[in-house]
């Protein structure tokens, strides 16, 4: 487990000239807004027509403030960040609007001057580190490049500062790991490197696009504390783009909720969590997984975000809103000002109101014609738990996975990395075992080893039995056939989906190979059903993976794993890239399949809320070993191991109303 950083010593040493705890308050008082985006319209050219990715977005971020941008995958959050940084794809353009950074209009700057602003004055943490880090450069060189470009440090001094940044973001042995390539690091470690690159030049404004999505909760807590500490000391503003409402509750001063390219609600964070006003916001809170909802389906929002190629002449949320009336389907709502903050809510911004894009709050509309929120937020619940079974579908005995360390011209083995070192557990049909632990502890390696995917890369010991059959002794066609019964959802959908194949080919590949009993018509019907189950429109079959958002690619990966109807699915962070409402759909789908088909899950995750809702049993893993396991209620409520207690203490929670 990584050592928690000493904030007072490390951060102050990194910034000897700029260290001034009172700076943030002074800047906020004299010049509150560092970033103002006004009437921002962004369009993307596509085969389906012009996609209006952003439609009149208005927002402002004050110095020292954390402004959270939340909403469903594909609603425009990341596109907002790209527009602010002027990093739109080649088919994108800004049709209208203004972006002011510290009173300077960014949209009219020549590219040479804009490059100086990026990294130096405004930094960004990208959502997907696998595609953002240069695979042929060492991670240290990529951090040093930012330091050399935007500061006066050179040579050994720049390298020393890069090492210090790696230490601050929780990379173990930074003096050694600075010379690693990205592929030598886990997903969570690559995300921490991205954070180090974004902060290395000490920007005044930081855009953090899902900065902790791939991190376990202990490292997430360290990173969030680091970001908050830098804000307090430097007056750094931050736009936090995330689907994790618990992180928003912990970090944000103000919150903006986006839907289909528009902002539909803006509020002080305290007011937003105590009293959300938009029907979409209310639905998001109802969709959050927690232990109290274990036996019922989550309140998932039906349907998907509408395609942004449409010419909207109605409320964009109307088709998915249970409160919608005829007026919602024939008129376009404005942002109606619900009024000043309620008494008792201290504002974090000079203009502290609560605007909402919903006809419920339209003062010009007669009350009789306004939508009415339902009295009960969640209805129609049914029991979802399957009866417990004593049968063992999967049994793992003393599993070891040791990767050889080879050196010299002849590549002789001089040692081993013990990624998994004597792991044992079992899973019954229809049961879910959650495997939790710190990034790099061996969770993903365990999952891959079960499917016999590491035979050529590592020395594997122990026994893996599926319904009594030794998987570790199978080969050729026998192993190939066994993989119909055990499938995996990989953590990184961008890397696991072939970029040269259309969605239909990706999903159909497994059916053709493992389900030869299905003809072409049956396969096509199966694909349409799968896409509907995971919340993807059927017309997406002819598209390529790069045409989808990160959350949508994850849904495609889930559909591919479920296509052949396996008995056991290894779920490696399957909901980490999903927003709250889609996560609810996926969790409901997984539980429904488990109840109807008796599917078992090995669920690898760092989201304790998902563990509380989904898991029957929990195993806690540290440095290749399981240190505690048992029924979920016992492990989560009465942990016996010190690491488990530390892990649960780091979990962010929504503030009580």
């Amino acid at each position: 487990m990584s050592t928690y950083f000493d904030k007072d010593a490390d951060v102050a040493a990194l910034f000897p000239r700029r260290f001034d705890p009172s700076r943030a308050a002074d800047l906020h008082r004299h010049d509150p807004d560092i970033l103002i985006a006004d009437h921002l319209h962004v369009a993307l050219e596509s085969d389906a027509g012009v996609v209006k990715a952003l439609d009149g977005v208005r927002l402002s971020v004050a110095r020292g403030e954390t402004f959270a941008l939340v909403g469903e995958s594909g609603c425009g959050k990341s596109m907002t960040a790209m527009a602010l940084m002027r990093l739109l794809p080649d088919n994108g353009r800004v049709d209208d609007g203004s972006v002011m950074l510290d009173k300077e209009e960014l949209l009219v700057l020549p590219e040479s001057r804009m490059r100086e602003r990026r990294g130096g004055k405004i930094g960004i943490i990208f959502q997907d580190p696998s595609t953002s880090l240069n695979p042929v450069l060492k991670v240290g060189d990529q951090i040093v490049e930012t330091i050399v470009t935007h500061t006066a440090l050179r040579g050994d001094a720049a390298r020393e500062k890069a090492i210090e940044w790696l230490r601050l973001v929780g990379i173990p042995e930074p003096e050694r790991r600075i010379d690693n390539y990205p592929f030598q690091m886990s997903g969570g470690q690559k995300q921490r490197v991205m954070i180090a690159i974004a902060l290395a030049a000490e920007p005044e404004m930081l855009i953090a696009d899902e900065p902790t999505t791939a991190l376990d909760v202990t490292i997430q807590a360290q990173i969030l504390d680091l970001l908050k500490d830098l804000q307090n000391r430097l007056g750094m503003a931050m736009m936090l783009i995330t689907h994790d409402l618990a992180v928003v509750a912990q970090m944000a001063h103000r919150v903006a909720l986006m839907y289909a390219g528009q902002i539909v609600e803006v509020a002080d964070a305290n007011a937003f969590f105590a009293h959300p006003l938009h029907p979409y916001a209310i639905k998001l809170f109802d969709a959050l997984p927690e232990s109290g909802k274990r036996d019922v389906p989550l309140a998932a929002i039906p349907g998907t975000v509408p395609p942004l190629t449409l010419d909207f002449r109605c409320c964009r949320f109307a088709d998915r809103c249970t409160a919608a009336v005829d007026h919602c389907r024939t008129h376009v709502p404005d942002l109606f000002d619900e009024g000043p903050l309620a008494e008792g809510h201290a504002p974090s911004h000079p203009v502290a109101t609560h605007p909402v894009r919903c006809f419920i709050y339209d003062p010009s509309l007669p009350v009789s014609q306004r939508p009415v929120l339902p009295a009960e937020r969640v209805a129609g619940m049914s029991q979802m738990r399957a009866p417990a079974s004593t049968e063992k579908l999967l049994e793992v005995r003393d599993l070891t996975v040791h990767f050889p360390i080879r050196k010299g011209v002849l590549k002789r083995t001089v040692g081993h990395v013990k990624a998994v070192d004597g792991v044992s557990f079992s899973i019954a049909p229809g049961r879910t075992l959650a495997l939790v632990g710190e990034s790099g502890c061996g969770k993903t390696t365990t999952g891959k080893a079960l499917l016999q995917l590491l035979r050529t890369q590592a020395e594997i010991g122990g026994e893996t039995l599926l319904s009594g059959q030794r998987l570790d002794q199978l080969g050729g066609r026998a192993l190939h056939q066994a993989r119909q019964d055990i499938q995996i959802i990989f953590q990184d959908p961008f890397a696991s989906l072939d970029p040269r194949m259309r969605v239909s080919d990706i999903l159909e590949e497994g059916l053709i190979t493992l389900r030869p009993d299905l003809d072409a018509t049956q396969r096509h019907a199966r694909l349409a059903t799968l896409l509907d189950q995971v919340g993807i429109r059927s017309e997406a079959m002819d598209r390529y993976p790069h045409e989808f958002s990160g959350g949508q690619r994850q849904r495609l990966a889930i559909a591919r794993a479920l296509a052949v109807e396996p008995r056991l699915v290894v779920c490696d962070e399957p909901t980490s890239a999903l927003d709250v409402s889609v996560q609810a759909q996926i969790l409901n789908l997984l539980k429904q399949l488990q109840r109807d088909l008796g599917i078992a899950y090995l669920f690898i995750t760092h989201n304790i809320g998902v563990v509380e809702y989904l898991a029957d049993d929990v195993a806690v893993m540290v440095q290749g070993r399981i240190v505690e396991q048992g029924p979920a209620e016992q492990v989560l409520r009465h942990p016996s191991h010190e690491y488990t207690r530390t892990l649960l203490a780091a979990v962010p929670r929504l503030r009580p109303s």
Side-chain angles (χ1 to χ4, degrees):
M1 179 177 169
S2 301
T3 304
Y4 195 84
F5 57 82
D6 182 345
K7 293 184 290 185
D8 290 332
D10 292 344
V11 179
L14 257 184
F15 307 104
R17 297 187 307 277
R18 299 180 66 190
F19 174 61
D20 181 1
S22 64
R23 184 175 181 228
D26 289 340
L27 289 172
H28 189 281
R29 181 169 59 251
H30 292 110
D31 189 11
D33 290 329
I34 186 172
L35 178 75
I36 300 174
D38 184 41
H39 202 63
L40 193 59
H41 290 257
V42 171
L44 303 172
E45 296 289 345
S46 74
D47 294 339
V50 177
V51 177
K52 299 174 184 176
L54 300 181
D55 190 4
V57 169
R58 294 181 178 178
L59 56 86
S60 61
V61 184
R63 298 177 188 272
E65 176 188 49
T66 297
F67 181 86
L69 201 57
V70 299
E72 267 182 298
S73 177
C75 72
K77 305 187 301 298
S78 295
M79 192 58 63
T80 299
M82 296 299 100
L84 298 178
M85 295 289 293
R86 278 182 49 184
L87 291 174
L88 293 174
D90 293 339
N91 64 331
R93 65 178 187 272
V94 176
D95 281 344
D96 194 8
S98 168
V99 178
M100 301 289 290
L101 178 66
D102 202 12
K103 299 183 179 180
E104 181 179 40
E105 175 58 70
L106 296 185
L107 298 184
V108 300
L109 289 180
E111 181 58 25
S112 59
R113 290 179 60 190
M114 188 63 206
R115 281 197 297 268
E116 296 174 0
R117 305 298 182 269
R118 295 193 202 103
K121 199 174 187 68
I122 178 170
I124 186 168
I125 303 168
F126 292 103
Q127 181 176 0
D128 188 352
S130 297
T131 58
S132 303
L133 294 174
N134 192 325
V136 299
L137 291 180
K138 297 176 181 178
V139 297
D141 293 340
Q142 297 183 58
I143 301 173
V144 168
E145 181 182 19
T146 300
I147 295 171
V148 170
T149 301
H150 298 288
T151 74
L153 296 179
R154 299 290 185 275
D156 291 341
R159 180 179 170 86
E160 285 301 314
K161 189 168 184 180
I163 291 173
E164 186 61 29
W165 273 115
L166 289 176
R167 182 177 292 111
L168 275 173
V169 297
I171 297 291
E173 302 179 85
E175 292 83 1
R176 178 177 67 86
R177 301 304 295 274
I178 192 173
D179 292 320
N180 283 170
Y181 290 93
F183 73 87
Q184 296 174 290
M185 293 185 157
S186 69
Q189 290 168 338
K190 285 186 283 192
Q191 187 76 318
R192 283 176 261 171
V193 171
M194 279 295 308
I195 293 171
I197 293 172
L199 294 175
E202 310 167 23
E204 296 180 31
M205 169 82 190
L206 177 67
I207 298 175
D209 190 358
E210 302 283 3
T212 60
T213 293
L215 305 183
D216 60 86
V217 291
T218 53
I219 298 301
Q220 174 179 267
Q222 293 185 27
I223 295 300
L224 295 179
D225 281 347
L226 171 63
L227 293 175
K228 286 196 292 187
D229 191 69
L230 289 173
Q231 283 187 297
N232 292 335
R233 295 174 184 274
L234 309 177
M236 183 180 70
M238 180 163 60
M239 176 182 288
L240 178 64
I241 298 172
T242 183
H243 61 262
D244 191 332
L245 291 176
V247 169
V248 174
Q250 179 178 327
M251 293 288 293
H253 300 100
R254 285 190 303 136
V255 181
L257 178 64
M258 286 196 77
Y259 186 80
Q262 291 184 324
I263 290 178
V264 298
E265 183 170 356
V266 185
D268 185 90
N270 291 331
F272 181 75
F273 286 98
H275 187 50
L277 299 180
H278 198 281
Y280 177 46
I282 294 171
K283 279 288 188 182
L284 287 181
F285 281 99
D286 290 340
L288 288 173
E290 55 190 7
S291 58
K293 302 175 182 177
R294 283 179 62 90
D295 294 331
V296 295
L298 297 171
I301 304 174
T304 59
V305 178
L308 300 184
T309 53
L310 300 177
D311 183 16
F312 292 98
R313 301 182 184 276
C314 61
C315 173
R316 304 183 181 199
F317 189 61
D319 288 342
R320 307 176 69 191
C321 181
T322 55
V325 296
D326 290 342
H327 191 80
C328 303
R329 298 182 175 89
T330 56
H331 294 77
V332 178
D334 294 323
L335 269 174
F336 302 109
D337 194 350
E338 199 271 336
L341 289 177
E343 186 176 354
H345 291 300
S348 62
H349 194 272
V351 182
T353 58
H354 196 152
V356 188
R357 193 181 298 276
C358 180
F359 286 117
I360 292 175
Y361 311 100
D362 183 359
S364 66
L365 196 64
V367 175
S368 60
Q369 297 181 26
R370 298 184 193 178
V372 178
L373 292 177
E376 296 293 333
R377 293 185 183 178
V378 181
M381 294 299 189
S382 60
Q383 292 294 317
M384 292 280 288
R385 305 301 297 177
S389 172
T390 57
E391 178 189 349
K392 294 179 180 179
L393 174 64
L394 176 74
E395 190 171 6
V396 179
R397 302 170 184 167
D398 297 320
L399 177 67
T400 60
V401 183
H402 296 173
F403 290 93
I405 302 173
R406 294 186 173 93
K407 291 186 177 180
V409 177
L410 300 178
K411 298 296 180 181
R412 289 193 172 95
T413 300
V414 297
H416 290 85
V417 175
K418 297 180 179 180
V420 180
D421 195 18
V423 165
S424 299
F425 58 84
S426 63
I427 307 176
R431 301 278 288 182
T432 299
L433 172 67
L435 190 59
V436 300
E438 198 169 17
S439 178
C441 72
K443 304 188 302 295
T444 297
T445 301
T446 298
K448 290 181 178 180
L450 298 183
L451 278 88
Q452 311 303 307
L453 298 177
L454 301 175
R455 288 182 175 182
T456 61
Q457 305 171 38
E459 298 173 8
I460 302 175
E463 299 178 355
T464 302
L465 296 91
L466 184 67
S467 295
Q469 184 181 35
R470 288 279 300 269
L471 293 179
D472 52 293
Q473 293 182 346
L474 295 180
R477 185 160 185 80
L479 177 60
H480 183 79
Q481 193 61 36
R483 286 184 175 143
Q484 180 180 340
D485 291 328
I486 179 170
Q487 288 285 302
I488 186 170
I489 302 168
F490 291 101
Q491 181 177 1
D492 184 358
F494 193 89
S496 64
L497 298 176
D498 192 326
R500 299 165 298 179
M501 295 175 67
R502 298 181 188 272
V503 167
S504 58
D505 298 326
I506 290 172
L507 299 184
E508 196 173 21
E509 185 179 31
L511 291 175
I512 293 173
T513 305
L514 300 175
R515 292 294 305 275
D517 55 305
L518 300 179
D519 59 30
T521 302
Q522 292 172 316
R523 289 197 301 268
H524 186 82
R526 174 71 178 150
L527 298 189
T529 301
L530 280 170
L531 289 177
D532 182 65
Q533 286 178 321
V534 299
I536 298 287
R537 295 174 181 273
S538 58
E539 55 263 32
M541 283 193 192
D542 293 328
R543 294 163 61 186
Y544 291 92
H546 74 271
E547 298 180 80
F548 296 88
S549 67
Q552 290 168 329
R553 285 197 295 266
Q554 188 73 306
R555 282 178 264 173
L556 293 175
I558 292 171
R560 180 179 61 180
L562 297 176
V564 295
E565 301 178 359
R567 291 191 292 158
L568 172 69
V569 178
V570 177
C571 306
D572 189 2
E573 301 281 5
T575 61
S576 63
L578 304 182
D579 59 84
V580 173
S581 63
V582 178
Q583 175 182 263
Q585 293 178 22
I586 296 302
L587 293 179
N588 285 344
L589 172 62
L590 293 177
K591 292 188 79 169
Q592 186 71 40
L593 291 169
Q594 189 171 65
R595 187 188 70 173
D596 296 344
L597 305 175
I599 296 177
Y601 300 117
L602 175 63
F603 206 92
I604 299 169
T605 183
H606 62 264
N607 189 327
I608 300 300
V610 171
V611 173
E612 290 176 338
Y613 175 72
L614 191 67
D616 300 295
D617 305 287
V618 176
V620 182
M621 198 168 183
V622 180
Q623 295 180 349
R625 295 176 179 269
I626 291 177
V627 297
E628 182 171 0
Q629 63 178 311
E633 182 71 19
Q634 174 67 30
V635 174
L636 297 177
R637 298 289 173 262
H638 307 286
S640 58
H641 196 276
E642 179 61 30
Y643 176 76
T644 309
R645 291 193 287 267
T646 302
L647 189 73
L648 296 176
V651 176
R653 303 285 183 181
L654 291 176
R655 299 172 189 151
S657 299

